[in-house]
Amino acid sequence: EVQVVESGGGLVQPGGSLRLSCGGSGFTFSDYNMNWVRQAPGKGLEWVSYISSGSRTMYYADSVKGRFTISRDNAKNSLYLQMNSLRAEDSAVYYCARFGGSYHIDYWGQGTLVTVSS
Amino acid sequence: QSALTQPASVSGSPGQSITISCTGTSSDIGGYNYVSWYQQHPGKAPKLMIYEVSNRPSGLSNRFSGSKSGNTASLTISGLQAEDEADYYCSSYTSSITLVFGGGTKLTVL
């Protein structure tokens, strides 16, 4: 069974940093491109970042460019999101999401909540 | 990276059909056949319902169907059931080499 499980969320002060992790199982992690997608409380989905299967290519939403860094360790079946200079508007549930064959997300984790507040 | 445009809400009675629209531009929906649709129940993760405009994942009910015309994609749910009540999001690949979502549509089954 395919599973992706996020961890690392929590409460952080504005300007602070947080590192999210995502573990994949039930599939060959190194074969798949991965994403982070977030959802602020009561709001819609927002794509955050993408990384190719071999880490050659990374893309970011304009709202996080220069502050967030996506990475992965295929040996550990893990995806990461390093979030720096956090702002109140970064508060959201962050989902780890596997890309299917053609720019659609076929598996989502259950999400990890990040709250940026003093 | 503007969001795709969806109606805020739609409603229908059990057994009826409804259609949710999703409007973008030639840089996203109109330029690529990479439109997908997701269903999200409260407190749950989204679930893939349609990919590549009109394809259903294995095992998904054929009551769900997708289409596209120009810069607008549509999700149709036929034979509405109570469990279809949820939020629905469209998404598309964009020429910015990213993914863009719609603002979401709340479906109410009356």
Side-chain angles (χ1 to χ4, degrees), chain A residues 6 35-39 44-49 81 92-97 105 108, chain B residues 46 99 101:
Chain A
E6 306 91 340
N35 299 268
W36 289 98
V37 176
R38 69 184 180 184
Q39 186 170 34
L45 301 171
E46 179 188 14
W47 173 82
V48 172
S49 186
L81 186 67
V93 173
Y94 283 73
Y95 292 102
C96 173
I105 295 171
W108 300 70
Chain B
L99 195 65
F101 286 96

Side-chain angles (χ1 to χ4, degrees), chain B residues 6-41:
Chain B
Q6 298 181 233
S9 62
V10 298
S11 62
S13 300
Q16 289 186 332
S17 295
I18 62 95
T19 297
I20 300 172
S21 62
C22 173
T23 302
T25 70
S26 58
S27 296
D28 38 66
I29 291 177
Y32 309 93
N33 288 324
Y34 294 137
V35 177
S36 50
W37 290 89
Y38 304 90
Q39 176 193 66
Q40 187 180 36
H41 287 108

Side-chain angles (χ1 to χ4, degrees), chain A residues 90-105:
Chain A
D90 295 318
S91 296
V93 173
Y94 283 73
Y95 292 102
C96 173
R98 189 184 87 165
F99 252 169
S102 57
Y103 306 106
H104 61 272
I105 295 171

Side-chain angles (χ1 to χ4, degrees), chain A residues 2-77:
Chain A
V2 172
Q3 282 193 321
V4 288
V5 180
E6 306 91 340
S7 60
L11 175 64
V12 60
Q13 292 188 337
S17 298
L18 208 58
R19 188 195 198 205
L20 305 183
S21 299
C22 167
S25 61
F27 64 104
T28 304
F29 187 80
S30 59
D31 283 349
Y32 288 86
N33 303 325
M34 299 293 294
N35 299 268
W36 289 98
V37 176
R38 69 184 180 184
Q39 186 170 34
K43 303 297 185 181
L45 301 171
E46 179 188 14
W47 173 82
V48 172
S49 186
Y50 157 97
I51 186 167
S52 61
S53 58
S55 300
R56 281 194 172 189
T57 307
M58 287 81 82
Y59 299 117
Y60 300 92
D62 288 346
S63 57
V64 306
K65 201 173 294 183
R67 301 186 298 122
F68 289 13
T69 302
I70 192 170
S71 62
R72 64 191 295 164
D73 184 338
N74 286 340
K76 295 183 178 179
N77 293 339

